[in-house]
Structure formats: C-alpha cells, structure tokens
Amino acid sequence: MMITFVLVLALLTTHIMSAYADVAVLRGRVRDSETQKPIRAATVRIDGTRLGDVTNSQGEFVIRNVPYGSATVKASFVGYEPLVRTVDIASDTVFLDVMLTNASVNKREVIVSANRRVQAVQDVPITVSVVTAEDLDQRSITRLDDALRYVNGIVVARDQVNIRGTSGFALGVGSRAAVLLDGFSLLSGDNGDIKFDVLPVSDIERIEIVKGAGSALYGTGALGGVIQLITKDPGDTLSLYSRVYGGLYSDRPYQQWQYRESPSSQWGGDVRLAQRLGPISFSVSGGVRRDESFRLYDDSFRAFAYGKLTWTPSDYTTIRLFGFVSRDDKQNFVYWRSLDSATFPPATVDPGMRLQTDRITSGAELTHVISDATSLIARYGVFASTFQDRIGDVRLDSNYSRALAHNLDVQLTSTLSNNFVVTAGLTGRLNTVTSDVYGTSVQSIASGYVQGEYTLGSLIATIGARIDREQMDTLSDQLEVSPKFGLTWEVDDALALRMSVGKGFRAPAIAERYAQIRYGPFIIVRNPNVLSERSWSMEVGGRWQSRTTSIPFEVDAALFGNELYDLIEPTFVLDDPAVPIKFQNITRARILGAEINLRCMLASTLGIETGLTLMSPTDLSTNSRLKYRNTVLSYSRAMWTILPWLEAQLEYRYQDRISAIDDRLALFVPNADARVAVHIVDARAFVKATDRVRIGVLGRNLMNYAYTEIVGNLGPTRSFVLQIEYR
Amino acid sequence: MRLLSTLGALIVVLGIATGCGGLDPTVEPAFSGIRGTITFAGGPSAWPTDSIYDLRVVAFEEQPKVPADIIASLIRQRAAFTPTMLPVRTDSCTFEIEVLAPPRVFPYVVVAMQVGPNFQQDWLMLDVHAPSGDKSQPGIVRVPSGGVVNLRFAVDFANLPPQPFE
C-alpha cells in the first residue's frame, strides 16, 4: 500500500516537472438575466477539462490554470437554462459575465467538494445532500444541528449526528461522522465530539453531507459519512450582515410539566463583516446565544467568534489563516425526573453546577497551483478544547479535561490527462489529553491516501484507498486499510446513475478508552482495549431532473447497505456489583435501506421538497433490531412566495418510534421506555421590509408535540421567535 | 384558491398527525411485574417461633450459588423483589413485584426468608416456582413489557425445597 502511494507521488512529481505552460485565470460573475442579481452556487466549468468552480454569494467564480486558446465554458444552475459559451483565452486574466435565464424551476445544482475536490454533483458516486446558505437563511438557523435535522436520512439527538442509522446512543462521545470546517477537523481530541451550536452560521456558504463511509479519503470518523462546512468567500464590496432574534417557549403541554409562571426565553445575535481588498480578503464574525430552555436547570449561554484572512499573492497561490473561539456554559440536564416530571431533572441535581466547554481552533492553509495540471493543498490546524464542571467560580476536579488535536494534511491533485485525475495525500493527527477523568493520553494517527478518477465518455470510475496507522501508548499499533470504488454514468442531461462501495472506520475516542467518570446516574469505567469499529457501505442510486414537463421536478433515489463490524456501544457490566458502563466492541450489525428525495415546483410561487428513508437495522450479534435506531424517516417542506415581499414555509419531520433500547436504562432512568414517534411541524413567515432588512416570525414544534430525542429527555416544546436581519 | 385549500388540508392532516400519540404523563404507565399469593401450610402455628428477620419474594436472573449471591444480585439489580417485608405468621398473603426494564427473564423465583442477623448469609428458600411440581427443577418466568405474571407459592415449613447453595 505504502509502496503504491510512493509510486503515485513519484508519478505526480514527474508530472509536475512539466512545469507551467501558458495558462490564464478566468474570472467572472454569474447573474440572473432578469433580475441582474448574482446567482450563488452556480457551476462554471471548462468543457473537456476538470477545471471549474462554484460561484460564491456574490455570484463570482475564479478558474485558474486555463490553457491559452479557445475554451468552451459551461455555466449551469438548477432552475436556469444551462449556458455554453466559447471564450478566447488570450491574456493572463480574462473576465466573463454570465447571464442565466430562469427556467422556472427553483432548484439548486451544486458542486460538492466532499471528494476533496470540486465536482459536479452528478459526477459523485455517492449520495450527497447539500444545505446552502440560502437554506440556512430561509430557516433562520441559529444552530447548525438544526439545519441537519432537515436533511432526509439524518437524525440529530443533542450533538450526535446519525447518518442513515449508523449511530445510536453513545453518551455524546465518538461521532460516527467526520465533521470538517473548510477541510479542518472539528472533532475534539478527547470526546471525539462536536458542538454544533457554537459554529459560525453566518459564515457558512454550504454544508455538504456525504451519506456513506468516507474513510478512504477522510480516515477515522467517517464511518457513517462526512459533514463538511464550507465558509463564504468575501466579495469585492464590504459585506455587513447582522441578525438579532428573540423568542419564547410557550406553555408546556401538560400542567405537571409547568415549572415557572412566565414563559422561558431564548435570544441571540450574529454579526459578520467581510470584504476582499485586492489580494487580501477578510471575514470576521461572532455571535451569542442565550437559551433559558423549556426545562428546569437546563439554561445555556454560548458565544463564539470566527475570523478568516486570505492572501492571494499570485494567481497560483492562496494562503488562508483562520481562528475560531467558542464558549458553551450550561447546566447539564442529563435526564428527566420521570415522565410525570419530564421538565425537571432528578431531585439530587445541584442547580448551581454548570458544565463549561471552551474551544479554540486555528489553522493555516496553502493552496498552490504547481503546474497547469497539478495543485497542492497543505493544511495545519490545532484544536484545543477544555471542559469542566463548576459551581460558581469553583472548578470541580471530578470532571475536567483539556485536549489538543493537531491535524496536518498535504494533498496533491493532478490532472494526468483530460480523462484521468489523481488525488493523493498524507495526513497526521495527534491527540493529547490531560484530564481528571480520562488520565493523560496521547493518540496519533498517520495516514496516506490515493484516489484515481477515470472518465470514459459519460462514465466516471473512481478507485482509491487509504491506510491509517493508529498509535497509543497502551495498545499495539492498529492498521486500517480503507478502499473505495465508485461509478457514475451520466445517461443524458436529465439522468445520472451512480454506485459506490467504500469502507469506513473509526478509531475510538480517548474518552471511550479511558473514561472513568460518573455521568448522571451512570458510572463509566475505562476499557483501554477497545478497538476501532469498521463499516462497509454500498449504494446504488440515480438522479433524474425534468425541466420539460409541466411540473419541473428532480428525483434522487438510492438503495443502500451498511455492514458494521465491532461497533462500540456503551454496555452495562453486569458482573460488577456497581453495574457500570463500559465502551466495548460488541455489535455486528447490518442496515439495509432505501431513500428517495423529490423536489418540484407545483406552481411558479409554490415549491415543495420531500424525502423518505426506510431502514432495516439489524443487530446480527443477537439477531434482533439494532438498538436506538429508527426505521422510517421522512421530511417535507413547502415554500410559498405569497407576494414579492412575503414568503411562508411549512415543514414537517417524522421519525417512527424507536423500537429497541437497552432495557437496563430503565434501572437508572425513570420511564426510560416512554418514547413515541416524532411528528414535528415548523412554520415560518418572512417579510422583506426593505432591500436590506428582513423580518421573520418562526414557529417551532407548532403543534406542541411531546416526544423524546434520547432516553429520558423531552424534545423542545413549542416556541415562537421573532428575527430581524440586516444585510 | 385551490392552492389555499390544498395548504389548508395539509395543515389539518399535520395537525391530526401531531395531535395524536405524543407523550402523555396523565396516562398511567402499564405495570410490568409478578403478582400472586403465598399459602403457608399449617397456618400461623406452623411458623418458626423465632429467627424471622425478613420475608420476600425474589425473582433472580441467575440462580444464587452461595448465600452472598442473593444480596449481590439485588445490588447489581439482577433480581427483582417485593419492596417491603411480607406479613409473617399468617396462613396466606399476596405479593407484588414491579419489574423494571421489561421484558426480563427470571429462571429462579422463590419465597425467601432471612433467618438470622446476617443479611448477607442467613437466607432460607421457603418455596420455589416450579410448574412441573419438581422443586429441584425451577421454572422460568418471563415478564413481558406491560405484562403481569401470576404465581402461586405454597410454603410447607416441614418440607422445604432443595436449597440452591453449593
């Protein structure tokens, strides 16, 4: 494997020797031909090559390395007529103004970078869902996990993201999805978890969710999929965005759940400032969130700041620096007192105790076009996180951890010929933890990967593999090889078929091996011998767009299967008198399923999208239903532009009742068996007061439906929020 | 107008869907457990005159092999038992055990009496659930979720079942 990798690098290096040919930069802007407004997330490609870009929020694109001569440029965006134009590349920089004509289909075609490079979505052999900045705006998203709740096939419980049933109940540690911000890992070094509520929402250009194992490119963590957050690039003009919101939780649906006379509140705000000044661009943003919650002793305060500085010294080189700081200070509501007192924690909870989590991330990225066909990306980032229990200003030693995660990533992408692209790289991750509850631990993972994409007419074949070596002081070295294979076939302009097979794995988080902690009623004991869990994902799917029918629509359907090995589950140790919980490799599971998503315009002002995921999650170790998994997920949304300045939306989310949990939980959590199917209805209305000001009224869980997100935890009750945005 | 009526119908359907079946704390959760009666042959006069410290019905997930296993099972929550001491020196009584985290399986269900001051050691099995009638072959009790299993015990102080201890 390593020999292969070295050979590929040598090949790329040889290819680089060809040095610079006569190349130019093609810049431009894509706009709506009628409104003249910029179109975000449009695709611009040079036909017959792999060169291309996706427009930013100003509709701008930059394609480097374009050979001199005549180039056929294709620009497209779902809902618009594709445009093909021949451009003469005769100088170092060429500007192209593209006007797309609306085809009355309000859809989005996007390019995803989840394969570590820009691609048209129909060229990707695996299901990728995309949440755009427009989606985030329309839903008034303040927490990114709220955005993921409305992606079909995904379940979010607290900060745990479950893609197509791959995750269950894991006490909040060990994410089975790799989460990245512009390529930088956002998983903490100790718990391997993610805090979605302190990420810079206003900076997010789009979120890409790869559904299926992605370890062949992303290594550990990508067992169930990859979530990539891509931030916005500043435009030439100063951009100021600010938002304030405030709202109230309405009455709890039952008298016995009332715990205060007045409604509890939530409020917050964001601000973002960004501009490009010649070769330098900057973006700074920050925000605060205050939530009194719908439950007693569950309030939280969160604050974050984000900054990105980009320097483009030449058309071939870009250097990007970023930093991110956040604080999450909250009471730690672990589970309810009982169903009858579902908004109260157990009577033994100290209301003065708070859990404080601080995170600091900083990183640097170099992007360099080495030759007319080869580009280099090198990234280094460090992610520091601490959490501690406090009562007032006094830190409690019983629950404290400080972790550092260093990430290094070097990637070469080379177009060896018009129809063959190779991507290869080396990565390293070093986690160091100092903790009262996890001890002092060092975990390192070194990796190499290579992937080739071969285009033959309308077929694209992708084959790749990655090797990861994990080292820990208490374990012998662990070696993981993760291959992948994918095939896409663009049958015609409307239909694209795909299939993929890939392996995923996840090295246990340090918390899963070394936790010695009391978490609510649970005593968790260490298990240094827990090993990586692995998966094989398979998928066959297709995407069909119709622009010619009276109701334009787009359908994406897939059949998928996940084979899961040595799943790490928190398990009660019955032989121990204290019945503690230990993370153990215990489960062999299989999840088979089907997913279908439909988007269409019923009328020029009314669009709908709906999705359905059916799954059969089986625990093959016990030949029973895999615990904590749904079998039916569904999501629907209707968007209605009532007047040019008034828009309304209605969303409905359904999850069937989880049929199996660990029955032993009932020994610790009263009414642990109290769980139902989830029916959540949200509604929103937006008024465009001026060109720059938009006012929104949002109703969440409009029907005040009572349900649990995880065992012994009531889901959010009905709330109403007023939001004012300025841009 | 057609659009409005479509949306209106949609909202009504969603309202019906979400108005039914949510969590409801006013609905009493279904009892899961074991209920039954115990008869004592010979009536009150047949009871020992002293050495009665406690009396319970206990459902074990594993048959105890030494007396200390009894308390260990209770601490490890691998046994369910009557929450208070049952009445003594009587000819019969009823009992009720709530079983948490059903469904659960109990291969050994007994009437147990503490006969000395050492609660970890001094236990005597007065009767064992054995549908076959052979007290050396205890019967398995399966408690389903929301289900109740009814048992009858007949204690004969002059003819106690085989004790489980090795």
Side-chain angles (χ1 to χ4, degrees):
Chain A
M1 179 69 199
M2 194 53 80
I3 293 170
T4 307
F5 181 73
V6 170
L7 284 175
V8 169
L9 278 185
L11 180 63
L12 291 181
T13 307
T14 307
H15 190 68
I16 291 164
M17 299 297 283
S18 62
Y20 300 102
D22 286 334
V23 293
V25 176
L26 178 63
R27 295 180 183 278
R29 176 175 290 184
V30 179
R31 290 183 290 168
D32 184 301
S33 60
E34 187 177 340
T35 66
Q36 304 293 308
K37 288 185 176 176
I39 298 174
R40 177 166 51 191
T43 305
V44 183
R45 285 187 286 168
I46 309 292
D47 195 30
T49 75
R50 290 280 174 176
L51 302 174
D53 195 14
V54 184
T55 57
N56 63 17
S57 54
Q58 274 75 47
E60 299 162 340
F61 66 90
V62 179
I63 304 175
R64 303 179 197 283
N65 232 14
V66 183
Y68 269 61
S70 178
T72 304
V73 178
K74 286 186 173 178
S76 60
F77 185 65
V78 177
Y80 288 82
E81 296 293 341
L83 181 136
V84 180
R85 183 183 291 181
T86 302
V87 179
D88 186 27
I89 308 293
S91 59
D92 287 350
T93 301
V94 176
F95 188 85
L96 179 64
D97 202 5
V98 177
M99 293 289 182
L100 294 183
T101 304
N102 195 318
S104 299
V105 191
N106 186 19
K107 305 295 186 315
R108 302 145 296 177
E109 181 184 55
V110 291
I111 296 286
V112 294
S113 58
N115 268 349
R116 281 188 175 263
R117 67 183 199 85
V118 176
Q119 283 181 292
V121 70
Q122 63 267 25
D123 292 348
V124 177
I126 195 167
T127 302
V128 180
S129 296
V130 178
V131 180
T132 65
E134 193 179 6
D135 291 326
L136 299 176
D137 285 350
Q138 285 179 343
R139 295 193 175 105
S140 187
I141 293 293
T142 57
R143 298 170 46 116
L144 285 176
D145 53 341
D146 281 342
L148 298 175
R149 286 175 204 277
Y150 291 99
V151 176
N152 190 29
I154 289 185
V155 174
V156 181
R158 290 193 168 177
D159 285 317
Q160 196 110 19
V161 179
N162 176 0
I163 300 176
R164 288 179 171 170
T166 47
S167 295
F169 172 63
L171 298 169
V173 302
S175 171
R176 285 184 180 139
V179 183
L180 308 161
L181 178 68
D182 286 332
F184 291 89
S185 173
L186 284 178
L187 298 180
S188 65
D190 46 10
N191 287 336
D193 65 343
I194 173 75
K195 297 287 182 192
F196 281 103
D197 47 4
V198 288
L199 293 175
V201 178
S202 59
D203 271 285
I204 300 300
E205 178 69 28
R206 64 186 191 277
I207 307 171
E208 301 176 348
I209 303 113
V210 182
K211 298 175 182 174
S215 293
L217 283 179
Y218 291 96
T220 178
L223 188 90
V226 179
I227 298 170
Q228 173 119 246
L229 313 174
I230 296 161
T231 59
K232 295 172 181 170
D233 283 327
D236 288 329
T237 55
L238 182 68
S239 162
L240 171 65
Y241 171 84
S242 63
R243 167 174 66 177
V244 291
Y245 70 89
L248 298 171
Y249 290 97
S250 71
D251 281 353
R252 265 51 74 181
Y254 296 101
Q255 184 59 39
Q256 50 267 65
W257 291 354
Q258 309 293 345
Y259 61 90
R260 55 185 289 171
E261 303 244 328
S262 57
S264 49
S265 66
Q266 51 180 307
W267 56 264
D270 298 86
V271 62
R272 175 178 184 265
L273 196 64
Q275 188 174 13
R276 183 168 64 209
L277 299 162
I280 292 176
S281 65
F282 72 92
S283 170
V284 289
S285 65
V288 293
R289 313 266 183 270
R290 174 84 170 98
D291 191 340
E292 289 187 325
S293 180
F294 55 96
R295 305 185 293 194
L296 183 63
Y297 305 147
D298 187 33
D299 76 271
S300 61
F301 178 80
R302 297 165 174 111
F304 65 87
Y306 171 81
K308 183 169 75 170
L309 185 67
T310 304
W311 177 40
T312 308
S314 74
D315 287 336
Y316 302 103
T317 305
T318 302
I319 296 169
R320 185 173 291 135
L321 305 173
F322 85 97
F324 180 56
V325 182
S326 71
R327 166 161 288 186
D328 177 6
D329 184 87
K330 66 177 183 179
Q331 293 174 305
N332 201 9
F333 193 108
V334 179
Y335 67 97
W336 62 29
R337 191 175 296 175
S338 67
L339 175 60
D340 198 48
S341 303
T343 51
F344 297 81
T348 53
V349 166
D350 184 340
M353 184 180 291
R354 302 184 72 83
L355 176 65
Q356 184 177 302
T357 305
D358 294 320
R359 300 191 172 209
I360 302 175
T361 311
S362 62
E365 179 187 270
L366 166 71
T367 305
H368 182 60
V369 179
I370 298 173
S371 73
D372 59 348
T374 303
S375 61
L376 166 78
I377 300 175
R379 296 188 187 98
Y380 169 73
V382 59
F383 182 10
S385 60
T386 64
F387 69 81
Q388 54 191 325
D389 279 343
R390 304 182 77 94
I391 294 182
D393 292 331
V394 180
R395 193 192 99 188
L396 303 180
D397 288 336
S398 58
N399 190 10
Y400 167 76
S401 179
R402 189 179 65 203
L404 278 177
H406 301 266
N407 289 284
L408 179 65
D409 187 351
V410 180
Q411 177 186 321
L412 277 173
T413 301
S414 187
T415 306
L416 295 179
S417 68
N418 272 348
N419 54 8
F420 189 46
V421 179
V422 172
T423 304
L426 294 170
T427 71
R429 181 178 173 92
L430 178 69
N431 296 323
T432 62
V433 175
T434 305
S435 169
D436 297 328
V437 289
Y438 306 147
T440 300
S441 300
V442 178
Q443 179 186 38
S444 66
I445 301 174
S447 322
Y449 60 86
V450 59
Q451 173 178 291
E453 292 168 75
Y454 186 75
T455 305
L456 182 64
S458 57
L459 281 174
I460 300 175
T462 307
I463 188 164
R466 173 171 169 135
I467 187 165
D468 288 79
R469 179 176 185 159
E470 184 202 7
Q471 290 182 297
M472 282 209 75
D473 43 3
T474 57
L475 277 176
S476 57
D477 291 1
Q478 307 290 306
L479 206 63
E480 291 288 342
V481 179
S482 307
K484 69 178 281 190
F485 175 73
L487 198 62
T488 60
W489 179 25
E490 203 168 337
V491 180
D492 55 36
D493 282 347
L495 178 64
L497 303 176
R498 63 179 184 269
M499 67 81 59
S500 65
V501 179
K503 189 186 170 192
F505 87 99
R506 185 179 71 85
I510 284 175
E512 288 169 290
R513 282 192 172 124
Y514 296 105
Q516 194 82 35
I517 188 173
R518 176 176 279 278
Y519 180 70
F522 308 113
I523 297 170
I524 299 161
V525 294
R526 61 205 300 269
N527 181 12
N529 298 319
V530 67
L531 301 175
S532 296
E533 51 187 9
R534 292 162 287 122
S535 72
W536 277 97
S537 290
M538 288 142 278
E539 179 182 310
V540 179
R543 179 184 294 250
W544 183 32
Q545 292 182 345
S546 169
R547 298 190 184 93
T548 54
T549 51
S550 58
I551 298 180
F553 65 90
E554 178 187 273
V555 180
D556 191 295
L559 298 173
F560 61 88
N562 287 311
E563 296 286 334
L564 302 157
Y565 301 86
D566 294 327
L567 273 189
I568 302 168
E569 302 276 324
T571 311
F572 288 105
V573 183
L574 301 174
D575 296 336
D576 188 313
V579 198
I581 287 175
K582 186 187 278 187
F583 288 94
Q584 300 185 80
N585 299 98
I586 57 159
T587 307
R588 162 84 173 90
R590 174 177 296 150
I591 300 171
L592 301 176
E595 184 175 297
I596 186 165
N597 297 286
L598 166 71
R599 295 188 295 186
C600 74
M601 294 295 292
L602 292 179
S604 61
T605 57
L606 178 64
I608 64 163
E609 57 184 41
T610 185
L612 175 68
T613 303
L614 304 173
M615 292 181 287
S616 170
T618 307
D619 186 333
L620 298 177
S621 305
T622 58
N623 199 27
S624 59
R625 176 65 54 82
L626 190 59
K627 295 183 178 75
Y628 308 109
R629 265 70 169 187
N630 302 97
T631 57
V632 182
L633 306 173
S634 181
Y635 154 70
S636 298
R637 173 161 74 144
M639 298 151 284
W640 184 22
T641 305
I642 303 165
L643 295 167
W645 48 270
L646 178 62
E647 185 180 358
Q649 297 178 17
L650 188 67
E651 284 185 317
Y652 170 64
R653 181 160 51 93
Y654 170 78
Q655 300 164 14
D656 72 326
R657 180 181 183 271
I658 290 173
S659 64
I661 64 168
D662 190 335
D663 296 324
R664 301 280 165 180
L665 282 171
L667 299 171
F668 299 89
V669 180
N671 304 117
D673 202 39
R675 55 189 194 276
V676 292
V678 174
H679 300 270
I680 300 299
V681 177
D682 294 343
R684 289 175 281 272
F686 294 100
V687 175
K688 197 170 180 181
T690 71
D691 278 349
R692 295 187 176 277
V693 177
R694 190 174 74 150
I695 300 169
V697 180
L698 302 90
R700 294 176 178 145
N701 191 3
L702 213 56
M703 302 302 177
N704 216 9
Y705 184 78
Y707 65 103
T708 53
E709 283 200 328
I710 57 175
V711 171
N713 274 267
L714 197 65
T717 54
R718 178 170 50 211
S719 63
F720 295 98
V721 171
L722 176 68
Q723 173 182 280
I724 302 171
E725 290 172 283
Y726 174 86
R727 67 181 71 229
Chain B
M1 196 61 198
R2 189 177 160 192
L3 199 59
L4 278 175
S5 53
T6 305
L7 281 177
L10 185 65
I11 290 170
V12 169
V13 168
L14 293 178
I16 292 169
T18 55
C20 305
L23 289 175
D24 187 349
T26 61
V27 176
E28 193 72 24
F31 175 84
S32 303
I34 303 169
R35 290 186 178 127
T37 58
I38 310 170
T39 56
F40 298 93
S45 60
W47 287 71
T49 53
D50 55 9
S51 301
I52 301 175
Y53 288 79
D54 203 345
L55 181 68
R56 310 269 177 157
V57 176
V58 188
F60 292 93
E61 289 188 334
E62 281 181 16
Q63 183 169 316
K65 294 185 171 54
V66 294
D69 285 349
I70 297 173
I71 298 303
S73 293
L74 301 183
I75 291 172
R76 287 156 47 194
Q77 298 175 312
R78 300 210 64 187
F81 53 95
T82 45
T84 57
M85 182 176 169
L86 295 171
V88 298
R89 297 192 177 87
T90 178
D91 56 359
S92 67
C93 68
T94 60
F95 69 91
E96 180 177 284
I97 302 173
E98 182 174 11
V99 171
L100 298 175
R104 289 171 73 181
V105 177
F106 301 100
Y108 190 65
V109 185
V110 294
V111 181
M113 186 165 74
Q114 185 185 337
V115 294
N118 187 343
F119 76 96
Q120 290 196 317
Q121 296 289 332
D122 300 336
W123 287 92
L124 193 64
M125 306 306 170
L126 301 186
D127 192 23
V128 59
H129 170 63
S132 67
D134 179 359
K135 301 289 184 184
S136 66
Q137 300 291 322
I140 296 172
V141 174
R142 291 184 172 81
V143 179
S145 183
V148 177
V149 177
N150 285 292
L151 299 181
R152 291 175 64 90
F153 290 100
V155 173
D156 182 351
F157 287 102
N159 186 21
L160 295 178
Q163 298 300 298
F165 311 124
E166 295 166 345

